Amino acid sequence: MKHLYKLNIILLTVFTFIGCNVDDDDAITVLPVKELTASLVNQGDIIGVSDDATSYDLVISFSEDLPSYSSIEYSLDGGATTISSASTGDNTLVIPVAFDPSDNFHDISLSDFIVVNAAARNYTTSLTGNTSVRVMRQGFFSAKMTWEGNQDLDLDLDEMTSSWGWSGNTLDSSAGITNVEIVSGILADGNYALWVIEWPFNTFSNPVDINFDIVTAGGNFSFAIDAQEAGWQLWLTKTTDGDGNVSYTMYTEDPS
């Protein structure tokens, strides 16, 4: 009986010691999740660059300084995905876009914002705002004309005077055999017009419904015109402000 009594005392001491250890454990701390976002600094659909530009630095902005092993995935002109890496502590990332003399614009599409082991490091990442942008020469202008029917229409892009007469200068012509004609050019500030004729009559054999889809550094425009006779069908004025922002005024009737 004496030995059993001593054993009970020893067991009681062990359990008491273990119970104290459990009660004294520190509380578990859950670290807050940090949200990191990336966005284009210029949130417009089109960024205009000078007509003689050879490159442009597209800037990505982050909501706070980046942790290590961070990057942006993007595609250029629909090509393969490219990874551009940022350094620890950066809050911006520059994507250089090269412009060859024959390049009028480039399309950049952001596809992913990556922080390696983000979940384990308590980060969530996302792209905000526009994820695609077109970087375009300020003077670039393109007009696509389409129509229904079997009339063979041709299209000219003409430079106009300040009083809306023809200056005698045709910047581009399109005289194909399909129902699509496209003209383009690098335009200085001034007045221009789109001239439409039917081959081989130099007039219209019948009135025709024409659609113009226009792409510029000032935005994209669409017009549906009920053309009754050959001649200028759309007039436009291009202006550029001191900050390089391009704007267009379009007219479906002769502004003179």
Side-chain angles (χ1 to χ4, degrees):
M1 292 295 297
K2 289 183 180 179
H3 294 292
L4 181 59
Y5 176 72
K6 288 180 180 178
L7 179 60
N8 288 339
I9 292 176
I10 292 171
L11 289 174
L12 179 61
T13 303
V14 170
F15 287 129
T16 302
F17 178 74
I18 293 173
C20 290
N21 273 346
V22 171
D23 290 343
D24 290 344
D25 280 350
D26 293 333
I28 297 174
T29 301
V30 178
L31 296 176
V33 176
K34 286 187 175 182
E35 183 180 3
L36 293 175
T37 62
S39 60
L40 293 165
V41 169
N42 187 316
Q43 289 294 319
D45 295 327
I46 300 174
I47 298 174
V49 300
S50 63
D51 292 337
D52 60 354
T54 58
S55 65
Y56 178 78
D57 288 338
L58 182 67
V59 180
I60 311 298
S61 177
F62 302 105
S63 57
E64 61 179 84
D65 292 349
L66 292 178
S68 56
Y69 306 110
S70 303
S71 62
I72 289 286
E73 289 187 354
Y74 69 97
S75 62
L76 180 65
D77 297 328
T81 298
T82 302
I83 297 177
S84 188
S85 299
S87 300
T88 305
D90 286 350
N91 56 26
T92 59
L93 173 66
V94 173
I95 297 176
V97 182
F99 272 83
D100 292 330
S102 60
D103 294 337
N104 291 310
F105 60 84
H106 290 292
D107 290 320
I108 297 96
S109 180
L110 306 182
S111 55
D112 206 357
F113 172 30
I114 301 167
V115 173
V116 173
N117 290 331
R121 299 162 71 182
N122 285 328
Y123 288 106
T124 62
T125 59
S126 63
L127 297 170
T128 61
N130 288 350
T131 58
S132 298
V133 67
R134 173 169 285 184
V135 183
M136 178 184 291
R137 296 194 188 278
Q138 291 170 340
F140 178 71
F141 174 93
S142 174
K144 180 173 74 172
M145 180 179 70
T146 58
W147 67 98
E148 298 292 334
N150 57 6
Q151 291 168 263
D152 183 2
L153 304 185
D154 297 328
L155 178 64
D156 287 352
L157 171 60
D158 289 337
E159 183 180 7
M160 309 298 279
T161 66
S162 59
S163 58
W164 294 102
W166 183 37
S167 70
N169 184 22
T170 295
L171 300 177
D172 194 22
S173 296
S174 181
I177 58 174
T178 68
N179 285 47
V180 177
E181 302 289 353
I182 299 173
V183 292
S184 63
I186 298 294
L187 306 187
D189 286 359
N191 295 335
Y192 302 88
L194 296 174
W195 173 273
V196 182
I197 59 172
E198 180 181 350
W199 188 88
F201 308 110
N202 290 329
T203 183
F204 284 171
S205 57
N206 292 292
V208 58
D209 292 328
I210 295 171
N211 293 297
F212 286 117
D213 292 308
I214 295 173
V215 176
T216 78
N220 299 332
F221 308 89
S222 294
F223 297 92
I225 297 174
D226 180 16
Q228 297 297 308
E229 57 185 23
W232 288 299
Q233 304 295 335
L234 187 70
W235 296 258
L236 51 115
T237 299
K238 173 183 175 285
T239 58
T240 308
D241 66 20
D243 295 325
N245 299 310
V246 175
S247 61
Y248 280 83
T249 304
M250 305 281 184
Y251 307 92
T252 56
E253 295 183 359
D254 190 344
S256 62

